[in-house]
């Protein structure tokens, strides 16, 4: 008689939750969210992490993903949470996961989760939109036309069919950025988008821009997310969603919380250039 499998109720409980920031770079920008899920679960097994599982008849690893970038977009600010049945050092987990993932899916930071839900902190995103072949002066004029409108309707195919929605209201800041360009003639737009329902993506902003201005876009746009996190609406900036977790860890270790910095939508010397 084959051995009887232990019931799911005997799964070890989760004792630690970690929050992971990772990047999609280079050709791995074309990996879908489901592709990354499979790759990450394999990386967890290779790193021999004691991941916790859900209960029930079909247990699955307790890994939750928040605010995934669309397929084809690069990102420096993707986030997930993973629950473990034994405590592990956050930096050791980061190194082990990064080694187990292919180059281009890079684990940038791992922190011990503090109080509060990570998904609730992801209120806005900052993006770079590179438009090869577009003169920056022409882009500046098109942006002025876009920002002068109160509403700009665009259409996108969704799971429920073709949907029309306003892309203008989600745009908190839209400028021509001073970033290194991938080609000689290239306009790079920098945009801060408020998260909402329906979610407005940078390609929606580009569609709205083309709808109101004669912008000579001849090739595919290159999209790169620089940041996502809490929104500081007064300044149009995106804060660091892991800052509270670092502060909580530091407060536990030293009894004194450390300050954190806000990611400015005006540009950052440490921000990566468009690949």
């Amino acid at each position: 008689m084959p051995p009887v499998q232990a019931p799911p109720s005997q799964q070890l409980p989760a004792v630690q939750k970690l929050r992971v920031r990772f990047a999609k770079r280079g050709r791995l920008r074309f990996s879908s969210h489901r592709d990354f899920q499979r790759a990450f679960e394999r990386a967890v097994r290779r790193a021999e992490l004691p991941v916790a599982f859900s209960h029930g008849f079909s247990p699955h690893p307790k890994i939750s993903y928040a605010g995934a970038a669309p397929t084809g977009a690069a990102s420096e600010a993707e986030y997930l949470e993973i629950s473990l049945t034994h405590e592990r050092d956050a930096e050791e987990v980061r190194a082990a996961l990064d080694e187990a993932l292919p180059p281009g899916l890079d684990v940038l930071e791992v922190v011990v989760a503090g109080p509060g839900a990570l998904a609730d902190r992801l209120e806005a995103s900052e993006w770079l939109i590179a438009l090869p072949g577009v003169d920056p002066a022409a882009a500046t004029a098109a942006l002025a036309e876009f920002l002068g409108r109160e509403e700009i309707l665009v259409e996108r195919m969704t799971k429920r069919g073709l949907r029309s929605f306003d892309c203008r209201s989600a745009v908190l800041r839209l400028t021509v950025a001073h970033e290194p360009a991938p080609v000689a003639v290239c306009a790079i737009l920098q945009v801060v988008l408020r998260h909402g329902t329906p979610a407005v993506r940078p390609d929606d902003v580009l569609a709205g821009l083309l709808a109101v201005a004669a912008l000579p876009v001849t090739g595919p746009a290159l999209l790169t997310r620089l940041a996502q996190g809490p929104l500081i609406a007064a300044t149009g900036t995106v804060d660091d969603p892991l800052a509270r977790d670092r502060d909580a860890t530091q407060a536990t270790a030293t009894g004194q919380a450390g300050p954190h910095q806000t990611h400015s939508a005006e540009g950052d010397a440490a921000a990566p250039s468009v690949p």
Side-chain angles (χ1 to χ4, degrees):
M1 178 180 295
V4 178
Q5 184 178 5
S9 60
Q10 293 185 11
Q11 293 283 358
L12 292 176
V15 300
Q16 184 185 46
K17 180 185 288 186
L18 300 176
R19 288 173 175 159
V20 180
R21 176 188 170 210
F22 64 95
K24 290 171 55 180
R25 295 167 171 162
R27 291 192 295 179
L28 269 297
R29 69 166 67 219
F30 298 105
S31 60
S32 68
H33 179 57
R34 187 165 296 180
D35 291 336
F36 176 78
Q37 285 180 303
R38 290 193 289 263
F40 187 77
E41 290 184 15
R42 287 196 297 268
V44 167
R45 292 194 294 271
R46 290 170 182 165
E48 299 182 344
L49 296 183
V51 61
F53 280 78
S54 63
H55 299 293
F57 292 102
S58 299
H60 59 273
K62 289 189 174 182
I63 305 172
S64 60
Y65 304 85
T71 303
S75 178
E76 295 293 318
E78 300 299 288
Y79 294 94
L80 62 84
E81 292 179 317
I82 180 171
S83 297
L84 304 181
T85 59
H86 296 84
E87 292 191 2
R88 291 289 187 268
D89 178 76
E91 176 54 28
E92 291 179 0
V93 170
R94 186 208 65 77
L97 287 174
D98 190 53
E99 184 177 359
L101 284 167
L105 295 177
D106 304 321
V107 179
L108 306 180
E109 184 177 11
V110 176
V111 301
V112 178
L118 175 62
D120 292 342
R121 302 179 191 175
L122 304 182
E123 300 173 333
S125 289
E126 181 182 351
W127 293 85
L128 290 183
I129 306 174
L131 303 175
V134 176
D135 184 81
T140 300
L143 263 57
E145 182 68 25
F146 181 96
L147 295 173
R149 303 290 185 94
E150 294 185 358
E151 180 183 71
I152 300 175
L153 297 179
V154 296
E155 293 183 336
R156 189 208 308 155
M157 184 61 69
T158 68
K159 294 180 180 178
R160 298 182 179 180
L162 190 63
R163 184 170 185 179
S164 177
F165 56 93
D166 175 28
C167 72
R168 174 64 184 88
S169 59
V171 177
L172 301 175
R173 186 184 294 265
L174 180 59
T175 60
V176 176
H178 302 287
E179 294 282 338
V183 294
V185 179
C186 181
I188 301 180
L189 313 183
Q190 193 165 8
V191 59
V192 175
L193 293 174
R194 187 197 308 270
H195 295 175
T197 305
V200 175
R201 308 186 312 200
D203 50 323
D204 298 323
V205 175
L206 181 57
L209 197 61
L210 296 176
V212 301
L215 197 61
V217 177
T218 57
L222 302 177
L223 310 178
T224 302
R225 174 149 58 189
L226 298 183
Q228 65 171 323
L231 170 65
I232 303 179
T235 56
T237 54
V238 179
D239 207 355
D240 183 352
L242 301 185
R244 299 181 195 174
D245 303 309
R246 291 191 217 95
D247 291 348
T249 301
Q250 184 176 0
T252 301
T254 66
Q256 182 178 6
H260 64 271
Q261 295 184 348
T262 298
H263 192 283
S264 170
E266 289 294 341
D268 193 318
S273 60
V274 177

